[in-house]
Amino acid sequence: MADNIPSFKAADLVVELSSTLKPKPDVLSFGSAFSDHMLTIEWSESEGWKAPVIKPFGNLSLHPASPSLHYAIQLFEGLKAYRGVDNKVRLFRPMLNMKRMATSAKRACLPAFDQLELLECIRRLVEIDQDWVPNLERASLYIRPTFIGTEQCLGLKKPANALLYVIMCQVGSYFDGEPKSVSIWADPKYTRAWRGGTGDCKMGGNYGCSLSAQYEAVSHGCQQTLWLYGEDHQITEAGTMNVFLHWINEDGEEELATPPLDGIILPGVTRQSILELTRKWGEIKVTERYLTMSQLCSALKQQRVKEMFGSGTASMVCPIGHIVYQGEDLHLPCQDKDSLLTSRIAKELTDIQYGRTPSDWTILMEQQ
Ligand code: COI
């Protein structure tokens, strides 16, 4: 066992297959067509981890006092299985999700587990439901590991019972209608995360509390919120995405910049992959640095902005077309599609995910 901590083991997996398989949906919306099976693993303080179970997809039975329902003692992950051009199913950098999940669990006071053992259980689940991995470019099977406190007690404390489960659903484009770019509304009155908080962990509370700002963005004619931070209106994230700026910086250098992982930024797998990919190209300066709205506004006035985009597992790479900020509609340049860095990054990533480019970033599933 890699981490040498008490953990469940994939070798103990109990598999109970569903006797009836559900029809697959014709239209791929985001997050509502769930596969036939799920993985559940129970933990208790007194007995530790139980054997992992793969069983037919179904509802959970939770005590109404469960701390996940009252105090948001919970976390989740998001990763995808892709069906490649060779018909083989691949996971994209899943160990990065396992690692982030372990970090979130520590912060949520949920028990530790062996990351490799969880990955092996997920691999088995994907293999069992591999017919659910769509055979369509731009579509995939979204895998949602979730970890919740389940103790039957209203006291605010480390839960003595917890449940780790994994569900999967077919997904297409995250944004309805596959927009060419998204519009975002930037208002410093809302904060997604703050120093010392949990912005760098993937916890439901970070997302649930962002929703009213998201709807306010919609009421201003925008699709997403640009999350600003501090007196100087630092640009941090956009909606549920990390954010990148491709520009000519203050020193006249072409630069791809994204805010640093200083505790308020989610360490996105797509973010990390974009940084590694573009650094490997060695063509432009790639930095993790602070970016403020005033720097962006001056760069826009001086026509130094090439493009801006968000990145995430669900949304992949998504160009930003407009920002509404302090009553102004800032228009971001939209160049010829093929000349954009966004398109090149998206192509290189999808080439890896869909098996057109061999890469050690993917893990192959066994075909049944
Ligand atoms: C993801 O990109 O995987 C996310 O967590 C976004 C989610 C709110 C759908």
Side-chain angles (χ1 to χ4, degrees), residues 149-356:
T150 55
E151 185 175 358
Q152 305 181 4
C153 175
L154 283 177
L156 178 59
K157 60 189 180 71
K158 266 188 188 185
N161 299 82
L163 175 70
L164 194 167
Y165 66 91
V166 182
I167 52 177
M168 308 194 294
C169 57
Q170 287 195 337
V171 293
S173 169
Y174 184 61
F175 298 111
D176 287 342
E178 289 189 21
K180 272 182 113 174
S181 63
V182 287
S183 50
I184 49 179
W185 174 68
D187 189 328
K189 78 176 172 185
Y190 290 115
T191 306
R192 188 199 81 95
W194 48 91
R195 304 245 191 281
T198 57
D200 56 349
C201 295
K202 207 154 173 74
M203 294 173 165
N206 295 344
Y207 294 77
C209 70
S210 75
L211 210 54
S212 63
Q214 158 75 20
Y215 280 96
E216 202 164 327
V218 171
S219 75
H220 287 86
C222 294
Q223 290 152 296
Q224 295 288 311
T225 311
L226 184 65
W227 299 106
L228 304 178
Y229 186 74
E231 303 275 293
D232 54 351
H233 298 182
Q234 284 165 36
I235 295 168
T236 62
E237 297 195 11
T240 64
M241 303 181 286
N242 291 119
V243 73
F244 283 84
L245 176 65
H246 177 205
W247 68 334
I248 306 298
N249 69 16
E250 309 90 330
D251 300 324
E253 302 159 305
E254 184 174 350
E255 180 180 51
L256 179 66
T258 191
L261 300 181
D262 61 353
I264 63 169
I265 303 293
L266 186 83
V269 175
T270 313
R271 174 191 181 278
Q272 180 174 333
S273 304
I274 293 171
L275 287 172
E276 290 175 20
L277 205 66
T278 51
R279 280 180 177 145
K280 204 164 129 204
W281 296 347
E283 294 169 19
I284 53 172
K285 184 170 181 180
V286 179
T287 51
E288 291 165 83
R289 54 164 284 179
Y290 291 106
L291 295 163
T292 63
M293 280 309 291
S294 80
Q295 287 170 325
L296 176 65
C297 291
S298 326
L300 279 168
K301 275 199 193 99
Q302 295 163 8
Q303 301 192 334
R304 286 189 284 113
V305 175
K306 289 178 169 287
E307 61 196 302
M308 201 168 165
F309 59 91
S311 73
T313 297
S315 54
M316 243 293 267
V317 177
C318 182
I320 294 168
H322 287 262
I323 301 178
V324 174
Y325 174 64
Q326 293 182 335
E328 267 194 84
D329 187 356
L330 308 172
H331 181 75
L332 286 123
C334 197
Q335 302 163 25
D336 170 25
K337 189 171 173 286
D338 295 330
S339 69
L340 288 172
L341 193 76
T342 319
S343 315
R344 181 171 170 199
I345 290 169
K347 181 172 182 323
E348 293 210 8
L349 285 178
T350 49
D351 280 351
I352 293 171
Q353 290 161 342
Y354 290 92
R356 286 183 292 266

Side-chain angles (χ1 to χ4, degrees), residues 6-23:
S7 181
F8 52 86
K9 291 193 173 59
D12 298 332
L13 249 177
V14 176
V15 179
E16 182 199 328
L17 294 180
S18 176
S19 53
T20 51
L21 300 182
K22 295 181 277 191

